[in-house]
Amino acid sequence: MITVEHLTKRFRDTIAVNDLDFEVHPGVVTGFLGPNGSGKSTTMRIILGLDRPTKGQATVKGKRYAELRDPLHEVGALLDAKAIHPGRSARNHLRSLAASNRIPFSRVDEVLEFVGIASVANKKVGNFSLGMSQRLGIAGALLGDPEILLFDEPVNGLDPEGIRWIRDFFRSLANEGRTVFVSSHLMSEMAVSADQIVVIGRGKLITQGSIDELTASAKGSVFVRANNHQQLLNALRAKQGTVTEQNDDGLSVSDLSAEEIGQIAFDAGVVIYELTPQRASLEEVFMDLTSDSVEYGSTGVRRES
Amino acid sequence: MSRDVSLGSVVRSEWIKFRSVRSTVVGVVVTLFLTLGLGALVTVLTRLHWNVVTPLQRATFDPVSTSLVGVLFAQFAVGVIGSLFVTSEFSTGSIRTTLSAVPKRYELALGKLIVLVASMFVIGEVASFATFSIGQAIFSGVVPTASLSNSSVLRAVVFAGLYLTLLSVLAFSLGLLLRQSAACISVYVSILLIIPIIALFLPTSWQDDMRRFLPSEMGHAMISTASVPNNFGATTSLVVLVGYVAALFAVGVVVFTRRDA
């Protein structure tokens, strides 16, 4: 359980985190979402006691990080995979961490094996690819078999196989009852890997809740294709439906359910060829939510891709 | 339940870190090379020129400090070892991982200090005893030699190793304060080389009063058997230098504890 209360962090003239409140619970994967520069990493650094909050506090199991008795047994964290001395071998890096918390060296070999980098354990970390460094970072987070895990942008640099592996891995950690807190700036990633999400923008909380609640709250629409679009349009408008888009292919209707539209069409004698409910994708929900709070947004020339 | 993180476990962890990077190994090799190599060079030259040395120079000749002179060059190598031990954590960002394992910062700083002092003491003493022995062997037969059975000789050799240890801690403490390797090593070199040069431009009377407070002059006093004019005695120099280093370390720890990592 991670609790963030009224957390505010001010650097000289910018507010990185602004009166943030949220909780992260055990047993689920909680995604921490926001555009680049929205304060995710700062929040995670404060949770780990690396940065001091200007106001408010962040606690882990009710304690500030510095008060934890056995930090690696309670919290495992991966903030920046490349933040390791490049001249040290993977094994020595993990051994130094293990020694500080009296974790036996046999555990080092176990986690190296688990993340799949045992064969390069004696190689210098400086020669590792980003994907290998991510795996080493994950191995470090797992060393103390902690109840709470924090990962800052863990899928960056992983290949598709690695991404699939890490998703399954987060899921299994949560299923074991652990608290899993994962930041990302990619909504699409969170849509498939998280249960709960906390969305921030410009350091402020935008929304939090389950993925399902979030998509449900977003406006959906229904796509209809019929034999007579004009006749259907008139019938729908008579029933308070809003047609947001109309072309030769069909109509996009909001404010009415697929069942209602089917009934209206039936009553009007219109033949329906296709009737597809379209939920707003999480990506759209996210863009919508954070559009006002993108720090480094692109304006002006937009290149179509 | 007892706490898993303690000063002992931090020392073990830091010892693994200290010995598992090449910069430490290179630093130790350079320290030994400078101490022994320059010691050998100076003692050989002294022996070769002994027949042209004036009687006055012969009267004030100190076979001990002459054989230990390499220490005053090796001080730059131990400074690099000491500063990189902490600045490399900041430059690579690994300090964040380290602090997530050892959140109490004074405990981390103290653990690192113990590892640094213990290893640099061993290296410093090995270097100074070795260069002393080699130097006396080179002198023997031509130039007067000194023996470790003389307590002031033994004191000078032991202090030479202590001087190297203390200077590595000085650089380490600067590293805690400044965080950047380049800045730290520049300031360290300035203290040892630039400030003494600036002091040369001061009026002579000030110079005589001031120079004894410079770490490099304390080193000179510490490796000599006889007292150096206008300097503190060897033991006073040691005490003052320990004071400097302890004060700088304390400031370094306070700053390290307060700043965001």
Side-chain angles (χ1 to χ4, degrees), chain A residues 201-224:
Chain A
R202 286 187 190 264
K204 281 187 150 168
L205 184 71
I206 292 177
T207 186
Q208 62 178 323
S210 74
I211 296 267
D212 294 340
E213 281 166 22
L214 200 72
T215 37
S217 71
K219 270 192 216 155
S221 63
V222 180
F223 177 78
V224 204

Side-chain angles (χ1 to χ4, degrees), chain A:
Chain A
M1 166 98 153
I2 302 169
T3 313
V4 168
E5 293 166 289
H6 299 297
L7 195 69
T8 302
K9 176 69 180 177
R10 194 186 300 268
F11 294 109
R12 223 154 273 173
D13 47 1
T14 52
I15 296 185
V17 179
N18 193 352
D19 200 27
L20 201 55
D21 276 285
F22 64 85
E23 284 181 351
V24 183
H25 297 278
V28 288
V29 177
T30 304
F32 190 26
L33 238 115
N36 290 329
S38 56
K40 300 187 298 290
S41 297
T42 304
T43 304
M44 286 193 149
R45 282 204 303 272
I46 294 172
I47 294 171
L48 292 172
L50 298 171
D51 286 8
R52 281 169 176 242
T54 310
K55 264 194 290 191
Q57 63 170 0
T59 54
V60 174
K61 295 203 288 185
K63 289 184 207 156
R64 283 190 301 113
Y65 194 86
E67 294 162 358
L68 294 178
R69 297 170 76 86
D70 318 302
L72 294 186
H73 290 299
E74 306 191 66
V75 181
L78 166 58
L79 289 190
D80 177 358
K82 276 289 172 193
I84 299 181
H85 196 300
R88 204 170 273 131
S89 71
R91 177 171 278 123
N92 278 329
H93 166 70
L94 292 177
R95 283 189 169 189
S96 75
L97 277 179
S100 68
N101 280 239
R102 296 188 198 279
I103 295 164
F105 285 170
S106 57
R107 176 69 183 159
V108 169
D109 295 324
E110 260 174 54
V111 293
L112 281 168
E113 197 70 49
F114 179 76
V115 300
I117 55 169
S119 59
V120 290
N122 293 325
K123 294 247 158 55
K124 286 189 175 160
V125 175
N127 300 326
F128 279 21
S129 67
L130 184 52
M132 283 155 80
S133 301
Q134 292 282 23
R135 285 169 185 262
L136 175 59
I138 291 165
L142 292 175
L143 260 185
D145 197 19
E147 284 168 50
I148 296 172
L149 291 121
L150 269 80
F151 299 97
D152 196 7
E153 303 274 358
V155 300
N156 278 3
L158 289 182
D159 51 20
E161 189 271 330
I163 293 175
R164 178 187 284 268
W165 174 80
I166 209 166
R167 273 180 205 155
D168 293 346
F169 168 59
F170 288 159
R171 177 69 48 215
S172 66
L173 288 172
N175 288 344
E176 288 164 18
R178 297 178 211 260
T179 304
V180 184
F181 191 44
V182 186
S183 83
S184 178
H185 62 280
L186 299 172
M187 188 68 183
S188 50
E189 180 52 38
M190 290 293 100
V192 288
S193 57
D195 310 297
Q196 294 280 322
I197 51 171
V198 173
V199 183
I200 67 168
R202 286 187 190 264
K204 281 187 150 168
L205 184 71
I206 292 177
T207 186
Q208 62 178 323
S210 74
I211 296 267
D212 294 340
E213 281 166 22
L214 200 72
T215 37
S217 71
K219 270 192 216 155
S221 63
V222 180
F223 177 78
V224 204
R225 201 155 61 82
N227 68 339
N228 190 334
H229 288 157
Q230 196 52 49
Q231 197 184 340
L232 178 61
L233 185 68
N234 295 337
L236 290 169
R237 284 200 171 140
K239 299 280 185 187
Q240 315 302 323
T242 309
V243 175
T244 54
E245 224 181 307
Q246 182 191 4
N247 56 33
D248 291 344
D249 293 336
L251 309 172
S252 284
V253 184
S254 52
D255 300 334
L256 287 173
S257 70
E259 289 84 351
E260 288 166 328
I261 295 167
Q263 190 62 49
I264 292 165
F266 181 77
D267 295 343
V270 176
V271 179
I272 285 182
Y273 301 144
E274 185 184 341
L275 187 58
T276 319
Q278 295 186 316
R279 294 233 297 192
S281 75
L282 269 175
E283 199 71 51
E284 287 160 0
V285 175
F286 176 57
M287 295 303 281
D288 201 33
L289 282 170
T290 58
S291 57
D292 299 334
S293 53
V294 176
E295 181 157 21
Y296 307 107
S298 53
T299 52
V301 182
R302 285 186 72 163
R303 193 177 293 164
E304 296 298 328
S305 56

Side-chain angles (χ1 to χ4, degrees), chain B:
Chain B
M1 197 176 78
S2 72
R3 216 165 67 89
D4 283 0
V5 182
S6 66
L7 194 55
S9 74
V10 176
V11 166
R12 249 183 99 215
S13 161
E14 290 302 326
W15 169 238
I16 294 170
K17 281 195 211 161
F18 186 68
R19 65 181 165 77
S20 64
V21 290
R22 189 179 290 170
S23 62
T24 305
V25 179
V26 171
V28 170
V29 169
V30 173
T31 301
L32 293 174
F33 178 78
L34 288 176
T35 314
L36 303 186
L38 286 166
L41 183 69
V42 169
T43 47
V44 166
L45 291 176
T46 307
R47 181 186 166 112
L48 291 177
H49 290 85
W50 189 250
N51 56 351
V52 293
V53 169
T54 64
L56 177 68
Q57 285 171 321
R58 287 186 188 202
T60 55
F61 177 72
D62 183 354
V64 181
S65 64
T66 307
S67 68
L68 291 174
V69 75
V71 164
L72 298 180
F73 296 90
Q75 65 188 352
F76 296 102
V78 300
V80 172
I81 298 175
S83 61
L84 287 184
F85 189 32
V86 58
T87 55
S88 71
E89 292 246 23
F90 287 104
S91 63
T92 61
S94 63
I95 189 69
R96 300 203 179 114
T97 312
T98 302
L99 285 174
S100 62
V102 184
K104 294 202 167 59
R105 298 191 184 184
Y106 67 88
E107 201 168 52
L108 179 70
L110 216 53
K112 276 187 184 288
L113 177 74
I114 291 169
V115 168
L116 186 67
V117 167
S119 31
M120 295 319 292
F121 177 72
V122 171
I123 291 154
E125 293 302 340
V126 166
S128 62
F129 274 92
T131 191
F132 172 80
S133 308
I134 294 168
Q136 303 314 308
I138 289 169
F139 285 155
S140 86
V142 178
V143 184
T145 57
S147 160
L148 288 172
S149 57
N150 180 326
S151 66
S152 64
V153 174
L154 182 63
R155 194 269 305 140
V157 177
V158 171
F159 275 21
L162 279 177
Y163 178 68
L164 289 181
T165 311
L166 283 169
L167 282 202
S168 73
V169 180
L170 182 84
F172 172 78
S173 307
L174 283 173
L176 275 180
L177 269 172
L178 301 170
R179 299 184 170 207
Q180 289 175 342
S181 310
C184 178
I185 292 169
S186 311
V187 171
Y188 178 76
V189 171
S190 304
I191 291 171
L192 293 179
L193 282 183
I194 314 290
I195 296 178
I197 292 171
I198 294 169
L200 287 178
F201 293 97
L202 295 173
T204 318
S205 60
W206 288 11
Q207 261 188 53
D208 293 344
D209 287 340
M210 212 198 91
R211 286 183 67 86
R212 70 186 73 162
F213 290 99
L214 297 173
S216 47
E217 289 301 314
M218 292 179 186
H220 190 196
M222 284 168 69
I223 66 169
S224 305
T225 44
S227 64
V228 180
N230 292 320
N231 269 16
F232 289 125
T235 311
T236 313
S237 292
L238 174 67
V239 171
V240 176
L241 192 57
V242 167
Y244 279 179
V245 171
L248 196 61
F249 177 72
V251 173
V253 171
V254 169
V255 170
F256 176 53
T257 308
R258 289 173 179 233
R259 279 172 72 181
D260 288 346

